[in-house]
């Protein structure tokens, strides 16, 4: 083991002098008792730590660390991350040259330690002018499989996926929004580990793989947002899915009030899912237990606690191109074509979709241009056939959202006022014709703008946040 540790310590001697680097890393291992091994482009410190007994820590104990200076190594990094708690394993991604690749994964022994690391070390100045980013690591074990024949049942899909891939644990299939005897044309396949899911994706991804004579679509499923226990203890909103398209908000409210009259504050339904708001959390939790699996208008519903999100900060992040890998919004964009929804049991989220297990840097809306060479073939396309990530403005997102809900386009009405110094200020009122309740179909922000474009964006953003 000592020779293995020494070889690992030598792994980045091309950047610092071999003697300095080896001495620093060996001193760290001697002080902590942890081993160090370099393999497959990464250097593992610990995993498990000395004296560890039992299985590895559960999911949610690992954090992703980005923007690490390329000439910084474990002897500097480990002491920093030990401030949050006991490290189970520290994995630093390495270049062949001996530099690190700018990111690492730190697994703690508990979820609380991982959350503390995010809290105290995200944007931490690790060297003068050098700030690291720390966020939850998305250990994705789930694949999205699209273009599945809609008549196939869960058992058939599960058996077929077990035949063609290894490590399948479960298959999640949802009924069609309009015909509950059919699936939605897609499924989520849960694997025993991220590695098993990655191997399955590698086998299926070329685009030529077929199931039942259909070429399937394969991608990483959007990870579900992790919300801390303290926040979830305050939630008094239920997320209800698998509703009939024809089921009304009034029907949902009446069904949940049957459990205990007067407990529901309001209901917001979009397509085949809804959010049921309660006056008190205890009633929400009790209603979830009673109503989950019940039938409403012939459909067996699924009921869970809704995961909260700071909508305002999410929108600020979105327009700054700074959506994090775990961002999620209760505001959904349900697809007309069910086969394109890659979020598990939640409305498709507003933020840009990030594939894969981890993303070292947040995705930005691409605004660069490309040369248009003579002879390039152009194909007519509807703006509504694109994904929401192709739009950077709130006005386009609102138009897209209305279309996907089969509503008429939003109508904008411009108003103005003049300040004492003669400046004209503008505000738009937005009408959404597709909302049945007229009292809830008109939206107007509480701020004025100096430009028409600014007023329209603000009005669209305000409408999206309040739908």
């Amino acid at each position: 083991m000592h020779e293995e540790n020494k070889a690992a310590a030598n792994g980045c001697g091309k950047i610092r002098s071999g003697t300095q680097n080896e001495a620093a890393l060996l001193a760290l291992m001697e002080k902590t008792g942890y081993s160090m091994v370099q393999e497959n482009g990464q250097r593992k410190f610990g995993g498990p730590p000395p004296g560890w007994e039992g299985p590895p820590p559960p999911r949610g104990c690992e954090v992703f660390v980005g923007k690490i200076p390329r000439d910084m190594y474990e002897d500097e990094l480990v002491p920093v991350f030990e401030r949050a708690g006991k490290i189970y394993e520290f994995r630093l991604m390495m270049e062949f040259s001996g530099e690190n690749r700018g990111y690492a994964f730190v697994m703690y022994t508990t979820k609380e330690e991982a959350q503390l690391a995010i809290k105290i070390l995200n944007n931490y100045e690790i060297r003068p002018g050098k700030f690291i980013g720390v966020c939850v690591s998305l250990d994705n074990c789930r694949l999205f499989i699209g273009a599945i024949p809609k008549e196939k049942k869960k058992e058939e899909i599960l058996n077929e996926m077990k035949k063609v891939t290894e490590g399948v644990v479960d298959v999640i299939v949802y009924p069609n929004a309009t015909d509950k005897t059919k699936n939605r044309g897609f499924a989520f396949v849960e694997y025993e580990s991220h590695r098993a899911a990655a191997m399955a994706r590698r086998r299926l991804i070329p685009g030529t793989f077929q199931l039942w004579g259909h070429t399937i679509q394969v991608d990483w499923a959007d990870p579900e947002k992790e919300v801390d226990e303290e926040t979830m203890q305050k939630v008094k909103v239920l997320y209800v899915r698998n509703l009939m398209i024809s089921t009304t908000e009034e029907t949902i409210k009446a069904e949940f009030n049957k459990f205990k009259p007067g407990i529901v504050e309001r209901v917001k339904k979009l397509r085949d899912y809804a959010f049921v708001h309660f006056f008190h959390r205890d009633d929400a939790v009790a209603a979830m237990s009673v109503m989950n699996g019940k039938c409403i208008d012939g459909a067996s519903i699924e009921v869970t606690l809704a995961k909260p999100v700071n909508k305002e900060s999410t929108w600020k992040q979105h327009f700054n191109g700074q959506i994090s890998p775990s961002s999620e919004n209760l505001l959904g964009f349900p697809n007309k074509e069910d086969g394109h929804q890659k979020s598990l049991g939640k409305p498709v989220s507003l933020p840009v979709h990030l594939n894969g297990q981890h993303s070292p840097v947040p995705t930005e809306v691409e605004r660069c241009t490309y040369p248009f060479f003579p002879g390039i073939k152009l194909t007519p396309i509807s703006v509504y056939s694109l994904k929401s990530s192709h739009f950077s403005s709130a006005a386009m997102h609102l138009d897209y959202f209305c279309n996907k809900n089969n509503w008429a386009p939003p109508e904008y009405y411009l108003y103005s006022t003049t300040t004492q110094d003669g400046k004209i200020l503008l505000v738009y009122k937005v009408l959404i014709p597709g909302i049945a309740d007229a009292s809830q179909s008109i939206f107007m922000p509480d701020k004025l703008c100096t430009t028409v474009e600014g007023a329209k964006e603000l009005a669209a953003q305000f409408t999206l946040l309040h739908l």
Side-chain angles (χ1 to χ4, degrees):
M1 180 60 73
H2 176 74
E3 290 303 317
E4 213 172 36
N5 290 345
K6 193 170 180 180
N10 256 323
C12 59
K14 298 179 185 178
I15 303 304
R16 296 191 291 195
S17 75
T19 304
Q20 288 177 323
N21 181 65
E22 184 178 346
L25 295 181
L26 287 174
L28 174 67
M29 288 183 282
E30 186 174 337
K31 177 184 175 182
T32 61
Y34 282 63
S35 62
M36 188 180 291
V37 178
Q38 184 162 337
E39 59 183 13
N40 300 326
Q42 61 182 344
R43 192 159 57 200
K44 294 182 181 181
F45 174 80
W52 180 270
E53 295 182 3
R59 291 177 70 174
C61 294
E62 187 175 69
V63 299
F64 168 80
V65 187
K67 297 186 286 186
I68 299 172
R70 296 298 184 101
D71 59 348
M72 180 173 278
Y73 303 100
E74 292 87 347
D75 55 299
E76 291 183 78
L77 292 166
V78 167
V80 171
F81 283 88
E82 282 180 330
R83 298 176 191 175
K86 185 177 179 62
I87 293 174
Y88 176 85
E89 181 181 73
F90 189 104
R91 295 185 291 129
L92 184 63
M93 302 300 115
M94 301 297 296
E95 297 281 13
F96 179 75
S97 64
E99 287 186 312
N100 77 62
R101 294 169 64 186
Y103 66 101
F105 300 97
V106 186
M107 182 180 289
Y108 288 93
T109 57
T110 67
K111 292 182 180 180
E112 291 74 22
E113 291 170 335
Q115 289 299 317
L116 180 60
I118 294 169
K119 185 176 181 179
I120 67 174
L121 296 176
N122 186 36
N123 286 325
Y124 176 77
E125 189 173 14
I126 201 156
R127 278 185 183 169
K130 301 291 183 181
F131 297 85
I132 56 173
V134 182
C135 65
V136 66
S137 172
L138 306 176
D139 188 17
N140 206 343
C141 299
R142 185 174 291 148
L143 293 183
F144 164 85
I145 309 293
I148 290 175
K150 294 190 176 182
E151 69 276 5
K152 296 298 179 183
K153 305 298 182 187
K154 174 177 176 173
E155 295 72 22
E156 296 177 90
I157 299 170
L158 177 61
N159 291 335
E160 196 66 21
M161 292 308 300
K162 283 184 174 179
K163 288 179 187 175
V164 298
T165 60
E166 296 180 0
V168 176
V169 174
D170 192 19
V171 167
I172 301 160
V173 182
Y174 293 126
N176 190 285
T178 55
D179 183 353
K180 300 300 181 183
T181 64
K182 297 180 178 179
N183 71 63
R184 295 193 175 191
F186 66 87
F188 297 97
V189 185
E190 183 80 20
Y191 288 87
E192 62 188 14
S193 66
H194 173 74
R195 177 176 172 78
M199 295 299 289
R201 181 175 178 270
R202 185 178 299 176
R203 181 175 184 197
L204 302 174
I205 202 66
T208 57
F209 200 90
Q210 293 191 344
L211 293 178
W212 303 289
H214 292 250
T215 300
I216 59 171
Q217 302 167 2
V218 182
D219 208 339
W220 291 105
D222 291 341
E224 290 189 86
K225 184 189 175 190
E226 292 290 333
V227 180
D228 65 88
E229 192 65 29
E230 184 180 351
T231 301
M232 289 303 293
Q233 289 295 329
K234 301 174 183 175
V235 173
K236 53 182 181 179
V237 181
L238 297 183
Y239 170 68
V240 184
R241 69 171 318 281
N242 198 32
L243 292 161
M244 298 295 290
I245 295 290
S246 57
T247 299
T248 64
E249 291 177 353
E250 291 73 24
T251 298
I252 298 168
K253 186 172 183 177
E255 288 292 331
F256 277 82
N257 272 330
K258 281 181 183 178
F259 161 66
K260 184 179 176 183
I263 60 173
V264 177
E265 178 187 0
R266 62 189 171 92
V267 175
K268 183 63 187 176
K269 180 174 183 278
L270 292 167
R271 196 165 163 80
D272 64 336
Y273 61 90
F275 296 99
V276 182
H277 297 250
F278 290 78
F279 290 105
H280 304 290
R281 173 180 165 79
D282 289 346
D283 290 331
V285 173
M288 175 178 66
S289 177
V290 171
M291 295 298 294
N292 187 39
K294 295 286 186 182
C295 280
I296 297 181
D297 291 343
S300 179
I301 62 171
E302 295 178 22
V303 186
T304 59
L305 284 171
K307 293 185 177 180
V309 67
N310 185 330
K311 297 185 199 175
E312 190 172 323
S313 64
T314 298
W315 266 101
K316 285 177 182 176
Q317 287 176 330
H318 176 69
F319 288 112
N320 289 330
Q322 294 178 339
I323 295 298
S324 70
S326 60
S327 294
E328 176 180 328
N329 203 317
L330 293 185
L331 173 63
F333 289 157
N335 290 288
K336 226 182 256 183
E337 296 300 323
D338 292 324
H340 296 298
Q341 181 173 322
K342 286 189 277 191
S343 296
L344 176 63
K346 293 286 187 287
V348 176
S349 57
L350 169 66
V352 178
H353 169 67
L354 297 177
N355 292 331
Q357 180 192 11
H358 310 283
S359 180
V361 292
T363 297
E364 296 188 6
V365 178
E366 189 177 33
R367 292 187 176 86
C368 58
T369 59
Y370 293 82
F372 180 29
F373 297 111
I376 288 180
K377 184 180 178 181
L378 297 177
T379 304
I381 187 173
S382 165
V383 68
Y384 302 115
S385 67
L386 298 171
K387 296 180 180 179
S388 61
S389 56
H390 288 100
F391 311 131
S392 61
S393 75
M396 281 302 304
H397 273 291
L398 179 58
D399 191 60
Y400 180 88
F401 179 61
C402 290
N403 177 266
K404 295 302 179 184
N405 278 287
N406 297 315
W407 296 342
E411 297 175 6
Y412 293 84
Y413 298 91
L414 186 62
Y415 296 85
S416 70
T417 187
T418 304
T419 64
Q420 290 182 344
D421 58 0
K423 181 180 290 185
I424 296 176
L425 300 177
L426 306 168
V427 65
Y428 269 103
K429 179 173 72 176
V430 182
L431 171 65
I432 309 294
I435 299 179
D437 187 347
S439 66
Q440 297 183 16
S441 64
I442 298 174
F443 305 88
M444 181 180 284
D446 57 359
K447 291 182 175 61
L448 302 165
C449 294
T450 57
T451 66
V452 172
E453 295 85 355
K456 188 171 184 179
E457 275 295 284
L458 182 63
Q461 180 180 339
F462 180 85
T463 304
L464 284 164
L465 292 179
H466 289 83
L467 274 173

